[in-house]
């Protein structure tokens, strides 16, 4: 008697094990990507709060730290903000007669700050409102960084 089916159970077992291995590897890849995404969400939140801190600091100095009866404090932020809080602070005019500390119109302020492993870069501009020349438009772009993640918060207002 000749048995032609010798080893068939071994081939079927090998086929089942291969399918199970493919399913396990596929699920592992999916789960690993999900865990990476969850970890990055925490980094993203930290970067967002860092950017928001830059926005809040800029608004605070613009609205609360007025030098010598000025209308706003943004153009003097480099002088009133502590050096370690406003690093690389630069005030530059956007037009010929910009950055007067009492008027603070047509000016751009940029600075960086680092705290607790987080960084942010702030770029703020004050321009004359085109529809009403007695008002000024304030635009703040704050970029927050944490580990390998960056988030941006923008603010626009008219005063």
């Amino acid at each position: 008697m000749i048995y032609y089916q010798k080893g068939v159970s071994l081939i079927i077992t090998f086929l089942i094990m291969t399918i199970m291995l493919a399913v396990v590897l596929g699920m592992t890849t999916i789960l690993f990507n999900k865990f990476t995404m969850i970890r990055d969400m925490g980094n993203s939140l930290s970067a967002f709060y860092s950017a928001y801190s830059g926005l809040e600091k800029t608004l605070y100095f613009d609205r609360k730290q007025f030098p010598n009866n000025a209308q706003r404090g943004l153009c003097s932020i480099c002088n009133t903000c502590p050096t370690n809080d406003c690093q690389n602070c630069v005030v530059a005019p956007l037009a010929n007669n910009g950055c007067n500390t009492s008027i603070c119109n047509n000016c751009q302020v940029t600075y960086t700050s680092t705290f607790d492993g987080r960084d942010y870069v702030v770029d703020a501009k004050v321009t004359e409102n085109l529809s009403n020349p007695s008002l000024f438009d304030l635009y703040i772009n704050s970029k927050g960084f944490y580990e390998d993640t960056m988030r941006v918060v923008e603010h626009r207002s008219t005063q």
Side-chain angles (χ1 to χ4, degrees), residues 94 104-107 126-138:
L94 292 173
C104 193
N105 185 18
N106 296 321
C107 97
V126 177
T127 57
E128 190 174 277
N129 187 299
L130 297 176
S131 61
N132 187 350
S134 64
L135 297 176
F136 301 108
D137 292 330
L138 172 65

Side-chain angles (χ1 to χ4, degrees), residues 57 81-87 112-114:
K57 181 188 292 185
C81 182
T83 307
N84 58 345
D85 284 346
C86 298
Q87 304 159 359
T112 61
S113 187
T114 302

Side-chain angles (χ1 to χ4, degrees), residues 4 11 70 83 86 90 95 99 111 124 144:
Y4 292 107
I11 292 174
T83 307
C86 298
V90 176
C99 290
Y111 68 92

Side-chain angles (χ1 to χ4, degrees), residues 3-67:
Y3 293 106
Y4 292 107
Q5 295 183 356
K6 286 185 179 179
V8 169
S9 60
L10 183 62
I11 292 174
I12 291 174
T13 303
F14 181 72
L15 183 63
I16 291 172
M17 292 298 288
T18 304
I19 292 171
M20 287 176 57
L21 180 65
V23 168
V24 168
L25 286 176
M27 291 191 61
T28 302
T29 302
I30 291 170
L31 288 176
F32 179 75
N33 289 336
K34 296 296 180 188
F35 287 137
T36 303
M37 187 185 321
I38 289 170
R39 186 191 74 225
D40 288 343
M41 285 171 48
N43 293 347
S44 177
L45 191 60
S46 289
F48 171 77
Y49 284 136
S50 176
Y52 196 75
S53 294
L55 172 70
E56 286 294 322
K57 181 188 292 185
T58 304
L59 288 173
Y60 171 79
F61 279 99
D62 184 46
R63 295 183 180 156
K64 300 292 182 189
Q65 299 292 322
F66 297 144

